[in-house]
């Protein structure tokens, strides 16, 4: 009987201590980044693996994922002005 209580306690403890997985770092995505460019004082754009394009407008405090048409690994980027990049 003691072993049964111990087993039940172990099962309940293990269920409640292991929460669901969620992405923690790096946020907002997990692809490797290869190129970074600052288009202004606060705006940063980065590119990387699997066509990843992300942008921050608050000096990197938060990021948004920009959609890209390609799934190639992007290695670098270049901006001629704040709105035109290659």
């Amino acid at each position: 009987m003691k072993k049964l209580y111990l087993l039940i306690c172990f099962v309940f403890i293990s269920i409640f201590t292991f929460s669901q997985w969620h992405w923690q770092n790096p946020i907002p995505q997990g692809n490797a980044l290869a190129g970074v460019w600052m288009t202004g004082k606060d705006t940063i754009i980065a590119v990387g693996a699997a066509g990843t394009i992300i942008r921050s407008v608050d000096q990197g405090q938060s990021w948004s994922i920009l959609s890209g048409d390609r799934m190639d690994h992007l290695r670098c980027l270049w901006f001629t002005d704040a709105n035109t990049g290659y």
Side-chain angles (χ1 to χ4, degrees), residues 1-76:
M1 192 67 159
K2 236 182 187 182
K3 289 182 182 181
L4 180 61
Y5 286 130
L6 183 61
L7 178 64
I8 291 172
C9 288
F10 178 74
V11 169
F12 280 116
I13 289 172
S14 64
I15 288 172
F16 292 114
T17 57
F18 296 108
S19 63
Q20 296 295 319
W21 288 90
H22 66 278
W23 196 263
Q24 288 185 337
N25 191 22
I27 294 176
Q29 53 80 41
N31 295 327
L33 298 175
V36 178
W37 191 273
M38 292 189 72
T39 60
K41 179 183 171 195
D42 297 330
T43 304
I44 305 167
I45 298 178
V47 297
T52 300
I53 305 171
I54 59 175
R55 178 179 64 179
S56 173
V57 292
D58 56 4
Q59 297 180 343
Q61 295 297 318
S62 63
W63 293 87
S64 59
I65 298 173
L66 303 177
S67 63
D69 297 336
R70 302 180 66 140
M71 291 301 292
D72 298 341
H73 295 302
L74 304 174
R75 293 183 178 21
C76 62

